Amino acid sequence: FVFVAHSIGCRILTPLAERAKREFGVEPLAVFCLDFGPPHLNVFSEYGIEKARSSEEECSKVLFGDLTLMPGLKKTLHAMWNGFRIAGNSTYPVGFHCFSCPLVAIVAKKNYLSSTDFAALPADLREEKQRYHQGPGISIWDPANFEEWKHWSSDATIVEIDCEHAAMQRNEAFNKLLWEVSRASCDNDLSLESIIKNFAVDFPRTI
């Protein structure tokens, strides 16, 4: 089997994998972590996590924008907020678990907001977003933090896909990469570097 986790699901993935190995002696053949930093780093600032836990409406407005413009996403955004509230700043030290399989951490190039979108926000909202985040303001995550996934597997690769955070699971390049890595894993013929090179423009950072 292969583990695939997106966004806050990546924070749940590591303890799940650790428990599966400890209790049942099973491990994945490969792991994909989509657009979320590694489990030893905080997601939010202390200010941000306090706000996330105190007000869904306020937190959602800062993180996701004007909810009145996205009525069809209400359930999805509620689930995302609930995940942030419960697990947002749960951390695990390096060494808590080590994946003995290839790990692919993927960054969405259009991560939450572009710098242009961020600059267009009202000044008070820009300031508030920056207070919430551990990253540079436009994103919860500083893309440089994704390199830290290399502490969690001896065979970790970081790549970028030209898509938005919320669209990553449906991205054609990601799905091709997922199925190719899964097939090769099941066939015991997994050379992660050679597979990604078939997809990458500038290995190992870009798809």
Side-chain angles (χ1 to χ4, degrees), residues 22-169:
R22 172 168 44 85
E23 295 190 9
F24 303 108
V26 296
E27 298 182 77
L29 295 174
V31 174
F32 286 83
C33 300
L34 309 185
D35 216 27
F36 211 77
H40 61 286
L41 300 178
N42 283 339
V43 179
F44 295 100
S45 65
E46 290 303 313
Y47 173 84
I49 196 62
E50 180 182 343
K51 287 290 188 179
R53 289 171 175 161
S54 63
S55 172
E56 176 178 5
E57 182 177 356
E58 183 179 348
C59 174
S60 296
K61 182 178 180 181
V62 172
L63 295 181
F64 310 126
D66 186 351
L67 302 186
T68 62
L69 301 178
M70 301 177 284
L73 294 178
K74 186 174 182 179
K75 288 184 178 180
T76 300
L77 295 179
H78 172 74
M80 290 174 66
W81 167 80
N82 207 36
F84 285 135
R85 179 180 65 84
I86 294 171
N89 263 16
S90 299
T91 59
Y92 301 88
V94 172
F96 167 76
H97 178 72
C98 184
F99 292 99
S100 58
C101 63
L103 184 153
V104 184
I106 304 181
V107 185
K109 281 187 177 181
K110 300 171 184 174
N111 195 320
Y112 299 100
L113 289 174
S114 69
S115 56
T116 303
D117 293 333
F118 182 69
L121 294 174
D124 57 342
L125 184 54
R126 290 200 308 271
E127 181 180 347
E128 187 71 355
K129 284 182 72 66
Q130 289 173 322
R131 293 184 70 190
Y132 266 65
H133 292 178
Q134 292 290 86
I138 63 172
S139 170
I140 289 175
W141 285 105
D142 184 339
N145 286 339
F146 284 75
E147 298 291 338
E148 295 284 310
W149 274 111
K150 292 184 177 180
H151 293 298
W152 293 85
S153 171
S154 59
D155 188 9
T157 300
I158 294 48
V159 299
E160 294 177 341
I161 290 181
D162 190 11
C163 68
E164 296 179 355
H165 172 80
M168 182 169 281
Q169 305 101 308

